[in-house]
Structure formats: structure tokens, C-alpha cells
Amino acid sequence: MSKAAATRLTILQKAFELVYANGYQATSIDDILIKTAVTKGAFFYHFKNKDDMGLAMIQEVMHPAMYAAMVLPLTKAENPVQEIYKMMKGLLIENPHLIPKYGCPAINLIEEMSPLNSTFNKALSKLATQWQEAIELTIKNGKATGKIRKDVNATQTAFFIMSGYGGIRNLGKLYGKDSYTVYLKELKRYLTGLQ
């Protein structure tokens, strides 16, 4: 990796940390410069403005990490109930990068920026749609193999699971990690009912 590429990646990773902890609008370019120890000239060499950097952060830092944690585990799911539960438990309990008091970085950005910026909305929609489609495919494959009931609606199930994740991430900001365990018990019961 070239020095310029390494600098760009450092800016994106450190910006992500700041945005995750403080919110996008509360994070300034100056905050990012202090965190990264790069010059303003170096920042503007890589990004036109803060929103250009924010979109790159979504596409180059958040998307790959979230794809690996939320979509890939479901691509070859042989047992939908077990795999969806395992994926969710991994996100809530086992992922060391997702901190309960900060919630979910994607959901935070969706809440903060989607109503205000259509380009952010589009980039964040890509993340959500890929996850939705992965859950739906897992459910459809489960129906085809007889592991999920035929009457289960894959789209409704995906939206229910996704909204449950968003909700518990927000409640986790208030109640901490213990609330995740309560949610996972009910999620397991719900998923078992799909069989």
C-alpha cells in the first residue's frame, strides 16, 4: 500500500471511530485531523469535503465490515434458524468493534443523515438492502428444503429481524449489553416458530 493510500485509509478509519462515538454532524474535519495527525492539505488531497469523506467511510470501512458480519454468514446457511440466530448473536455479543453504548454505526447514520442527505441515504440503503436480501434468501432456501414453513413470508421476516436488531441496538445504549441477551432469547423463540 502506498503512503497516500495508507494515509487515506487512516483518515477513514479514525473518522469512523469518531463518528461512531460522537455522531457524524458532531464530528468536524478538525476533530479528524487531530485524531489522525494529518494536515488539512492531506485531508483535502483525498476528499473534496466532509461529506465526500463520509461517503467513502461508508463505502470503504463500514460496508466491507458489515457485509462480512451480516451478509456472508447467511450466504451458505444450511439451517436458517441456526444461522440467522448465530449471525445476530455474533453482531450483538461477539463483535468487539460494536460497543453497546454507541449502538450500531449504520443505524446511527441512518437515523442522523438519511433524512438530510440523499447521497448518504442511498449509500446506507445499499447496506440495509444487502442484509435484507441475504435474510430473505436464507428464508426462501429454508422453505425450499423444508426447514422453514411454507407460509412464512421472507420479506416480512427480514424486516422484522432487521427492525428488531435496530431496536435492541438503541435500547443497548440505555440498558447495556445485558439487554442483548434478553432480545436473543426472544429472537430464538421467534425463529424456532418459523420451522
Side-chain angles (χ1 to χ4, degrees):
M1 181 181 289
S2 71
K3 183 177 179 183
T7 298
R8 185 178 194 282
L9 182 60
T10 297
I11 292 169
L12 293 175
Q13 289 173 333
K14 296 299 182 184
F16 170 79
E17 292 171 13
L18 287 168
V19 169
Y20 185 34
N22 303 316
Y24 182 79
Q25 294 178 73
T27 300
S28 68
I29 290 175
D30 287 339
D31 294 332
I32 296 166
L33 297 178
I34 292 167
K35 181 90 170 168
T36 59
V38 300
T39 65
K40 195 169 273 196
F43 181 92
F44 286 108
Y45 172 80
H46 294 287
F47 309 104
K48 291 183 283 188
N49 52 41
K50 181 182 168 188
D51 284 353
D52 185 45
M53 182 278 311
L55 290 168
M57 179 190 72
I58 292 168
Q59 294 161 352
E60 299 172 36
V61 176
M62 292 176 63
H63 183 270
M66 297 186 80
Y67 187 88
M70 300 168 125
V71 176
L72 279 181
L74 300 180
T75 57
K76 296 180 182 175
E78 292 183 17
N79 186 321
V81 167
Q82 289 178 1
E83 296 301 327
I84 291 171
Y85 179 83
K86 183 179 174 185
M87 175 267 304
M88 197 68 78
K89 183 179 179 187
L91 287 170
L92 293 171
I93 303 295
E94 298 163 0
N95 189 317
H97 305 292
L98 298 177
I99 301 163
K101 72 177 180 177
Y102 298 145
C104 171
I107 291 168
N108 294 346
L109 273 174
I110 289 167
E111 291 173 350
E112 183 180 8
M113 294 304 295
S114 282
L116 306 176
N117 187 311
S118 61
T119 310
F120 271 70
N121 184 296
K122 185 176 178 181
L124 293 162
S125 291
K126 179 181 175 185
L127 291 171
T129 299
Q130 286 182 322
W131 192 30
Q132 174 194 338
E133 290 172 350
I135 295 170
E136 285 182 19
L137 182 60
T138 302
I139 296 298
K140 288 175 184 175
N141 289 343
K143 288 169 71 172
T145 60
K147 294 182 178 172
I148 297 290
R149 293 189 335 262
K150 296 288 185 194
D151 64 319
V152 172
N153 183 299
T155 301
Q156 291 173 358
T157 301
F159 272 83
F160 185 75
I161 290 168
M162 293 168 68
S163 61
Y165 172 76
I168 199 61
R169 272 289 178 204
N170 279 336
L171 288 175
K173 293 176 185 178
L174 297 172
Y175 299 121
K177 199 170 189 173
D178 289 345
S179 64
Y180 298 165
T181 304
V182 174
Y183 169 76
L184 286 169
K185 286 179 183 176
E186 188 61 22
L187 177 67
K188 184 179 274 189
R189 191 184 70 77
Y190 168 77
L191 292 171
T192 300
L194 302 177
Q195 296 176 315

